[in-house]
């Protein structure tokens, strides 16, 4: 039996037990949490390759997708300009990174910021990714540390690249259209031994009324919003104990609420990624591929504000990186490096789909990354 077959078989049995314990049904958020994070079995908790520029059989990488730091080191170098400014504005010398992946972004930030950063803390649930990060970041010595949970209080600058999209979501489906339509929560059940979709009545609703007569599938994001609220709580605890609080920047693909729940986006945004191919069936090959959903940045912004944070800005990744000096960094890069960096800002690549949102404790300042093209007014 091959290792992938063993992996999917063990995870499938775990999911079967969870469904049986749930009375024959679990919500998609519970399924997604197990599929991605079940210890030793979930996608981010097993030993399979994830991050890299090439799929299996090409340069021996065997990766499933590429993120911005793997695509170009100029990403982290540009982001470092904003992180450095935020460290100075908050009077702190600590950086916290959530979901550090291969460690590429940490390497880029530390290499650019140097002694400005006294301590760099990585919060990551994956033991196999942690080992990869430790090997990559060994040269930075005791500056880097790893934790698997947030302490009671934190201060400094938080960064998260493609973190919010990997947080489990709930699926809601409307049948019958806007007028008299019925909403259901979509979850996972068993048909024999196989995983299958199953809907249950629910009082849950999207945050806005979705117009139109069509059936409609979408997501709500209680875990991502709870995460932002928890982060705000940890900042607040720091301030209450005499610390300095801090700032946070999240980069991810998504939309403001008005675009997220647009009538034409009626099939939802859940996607799976494996070997640089995308599909829309999270019930297949569970544990062997990533499962994501686009971010509702309005919900994220409101969660931060409700928890006491101020929004520093919201804009496209292209505008953010250009504000942070990416163009000047590209001038001294090789042609190949410029070509990869261009993918970070090209509208048909990552430049427009990916957005950046910033938060801070205390009085906001005119943050570098949002000086031109701020879109906070559309949230």
């Amino acid at each position: 039996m091959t290792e992938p077959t063993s992996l999917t078989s063990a995870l499938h049995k775990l999911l079967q037990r969870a469904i049986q314990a749930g009375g024959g049904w679990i919500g998609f958020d519970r399924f997604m949490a197990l599929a991605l994070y079940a210890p030793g079995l979930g996608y981010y908790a097993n030993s399979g390759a994830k991050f890299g520029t090439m799929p299996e059989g090409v340069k021996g990488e065997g990766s499933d997708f590429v993120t911005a730091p793997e695509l170009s080191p100029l990403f982290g170098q540009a982001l470092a300009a904003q992180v450095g400014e935020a460290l100075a504005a908050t009077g702190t010398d600590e950086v916290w990174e959530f979901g550090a992946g291969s460690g590429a972004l940490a390497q880029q930030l530390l290499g650019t910021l140097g002694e400005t950063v006294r301590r760099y803390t990585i919060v990551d649930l994956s033991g196999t990714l942690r080992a990869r990060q430790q090997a990559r970041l060994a040269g930075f010595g005791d500056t880097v540390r790893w934790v698997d949970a947030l302490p009671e209080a934190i201060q400094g600058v938080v960064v998260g690249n493609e973190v919010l999209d990997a947080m489990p979501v709930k699926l809601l489906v409307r049948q019958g259209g806007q007028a008299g339509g019925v909403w259901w929560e979509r979850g996972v059940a068993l048909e024999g031994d196989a995983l299958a979709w199953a809907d249950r009545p629910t009082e849950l609703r999207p945050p806005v009324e979705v117009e139109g007569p069509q059936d409609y599938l979408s997501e709500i994001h209680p875990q991502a919003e709870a995460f932002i609220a928890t982060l705000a709580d940890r900042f607040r605890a720091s301030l209450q104990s005499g610390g300095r609080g801090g700032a946070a920047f999240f980069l991810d693909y998504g939309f403001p609420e008005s675009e997220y729940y647009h009538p034409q986006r009626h099939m939802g945004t859940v996607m799976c990624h494996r070997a640089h191919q995308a599909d829309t069936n999270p019930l297949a090959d569970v544990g062997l591929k990533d499962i994501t959903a686009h971010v509702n940045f309005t919900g994220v912004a409101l969660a931060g504000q409700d928890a006491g944070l101020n929004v520093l800005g919201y804009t496209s990744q292209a505008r953010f990186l250009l504000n942070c000096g990416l163009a000047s960094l590209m001038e001294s890069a090789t042609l190949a490096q410029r070509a990869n960096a261009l993918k970070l800002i090209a509208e048909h690549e990552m430049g427009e789909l990916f957005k950046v949102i910033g938060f801070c404790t205390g009085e906001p300042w005119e943050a570098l990354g949002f000086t031109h093209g701020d879109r906070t007014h559309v949230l």
Side-chain angles (χ1 to χ4, degrees):
M1 183 177 290
T2 64
E3 182 179 352
T5 302
S6 300
L7 174 69
T8 55
S9 177
L11 183 55
H12 189 83
K13 290 178 180 177
L14 177 66
L15 286 164
Q16 285 180 317
R17 292 195 297 270
I19 292 168
Q20 291 163 354
W25 183 92
I26 56 173
F28 182 75
D29 53 339
R30 174 64 173 153
F31 166 83
M32 186 172 171
L34 290 171
L36 295 181
Y37 304 110
L41 299 175
Y43 178 77
Y44 282 108
N46 64 49
S47 59
K50 285 124 180 116
F51 303 90
T53 58
M54 298 293 176
E56 186 174 0
V58 182
K59 294 186 179 180
E61 287 193 8
S63 67
D64 291 324
F65 53 85
V66 61
T67 61
E70 283 87 31
L71 188 62
S72 172
L74 302 187
F75 174 81
Q77 293 171 26
L79 178 58
Q82 177 62 90
V83 174
E85 182 197 61
L87 289 169
T90 57
T92 60
D93 56 8
E94 300 179 51
V95 175
W96 296 73
E97 184 181 357
F98 285 83
S102 67
L105 180 56
Q107 184 180 43
Q108 293 158 18
L109 291 175
L110 285 164
T112 306
L113 293 168
E115 295 182 358
T116 305
V117 179
R118 177 182 58 85
R119 184 164 64 187
Y120 194 105
T121 302
I122 292 175
V123 186
D124 209 313
L125 300 177
S126 171
T128 55
L129 287 176
R130 178 182 296 196
R132 186 175 175 184
Q133 295 157 10
Q134 288 172 334
R136 186 167 199 157
L137 302 173
F140 296 101
D142 294 338
T143 300
V144 187
R145 65 168 181 165
W146 282 261
V147 298
D148 55 14
L150 278 177
E152 290 303 310
I154 69 170
Q155 65 176 16
V157 177
V158 170
V159 294
N161 181 58
E162 294 197 46
V163 170
L164 299 177
D165 69 85
M167 294 187 176
V169 296
K170 286 184 175 292
L171 291 182
L172 300 182
V173 59
R174 181 185 68 191
Q175 297 174 347
Q178 181 183 12
V182 178
W183 284 96
W184 307 75
E185 181 177 359
R186 178 154 293 175
V188 182
L190 295 172
E191 288 185 357
D193 290 333
L195 300 173
W197 295 115
D199 299 340
R200 287 190 170 184
T202 182
E203 297 299 317
L204 297 172
R205 296 291 185 273
V208 296
E209 183 72 27
V210 180
E211 297 180 357
Q214 72 276 23
D215 290 351
Y216 197 87
L217 172 68
S218 194
E219 308 88 26
I220 56 175
H221 304 74
Q223 290 204 29
E225 293 166 13
F227 165 74
I228 297 296
T230 299
L231 181 61
D233 177 70
R234 300 304 194 267
F235 276 141
R236 183 165 53 250
S238 169
L239 291 168
Q240 291 171 346
S241 63
R244 292 184 173 274
F249 300 90
F250 295 97
L251 304 91
D252 225 313
Y253 41 87
F255 313 100
E257 198 168 80
S258 59
E259 294 180 39
Y260 200 104
Y261 299 104
H262 193 281
Q264 292 180 350
R265 189 166 284 110
H266 61 92
M267 296 302 293
T269 72
V270 170
M271 292 293 294
C272 305
H273 302 274
R274 184 182 184 188
H276 294 257
Q277 300 292 317
D279 73 80
T280 58
N281 184 8
L283 303 190
D285 300 323
V286 182
L288 299 180
K289 60 185 181 182
D290 192 18
I291 305 173
T292 73
H294 286 46
V295 177
N296 172 12
F297 279 100
T298 301
V300 168
L302 290 173
Q305 287 184 323
D306 289 345
L309 296 176
N310 287 309
V311 175
L312 281 170
Y314 166 74
T315 192
S316 68
Q317 177 174 286
R319 177 49 58 190
F320 180 85
L321 293 177
L322 290 170
N323 287 340
C324 290
L326 180 64
S328 61
L329 292 171
M330 291 173 66
E331 289 177 2
S332 57
T334 66
L335 182 60
Q337 290 170 337
R338 288 200 296 271
N340 278 341
L342 188 61
K343 295 177 182 179
L344 301 173
I345 57 175
E347 185 172 348
H348 65 286
E349 295 275 0
M350 301 174 74
E352 179 58 34
L353 178 59
F354 279 70
K355 310 297 194 310
V356 187
I357 191 167
F359 296 100
C360 70
T361 59
E363 199 63 30
W365 72 95
E366 188 176 354
L368 176 66
F370 308 107
T371 48
H372 302 286
D374 182 31
R375 303 181 186 178
T376 306
H377 62 282
V378 307
L379 289 174

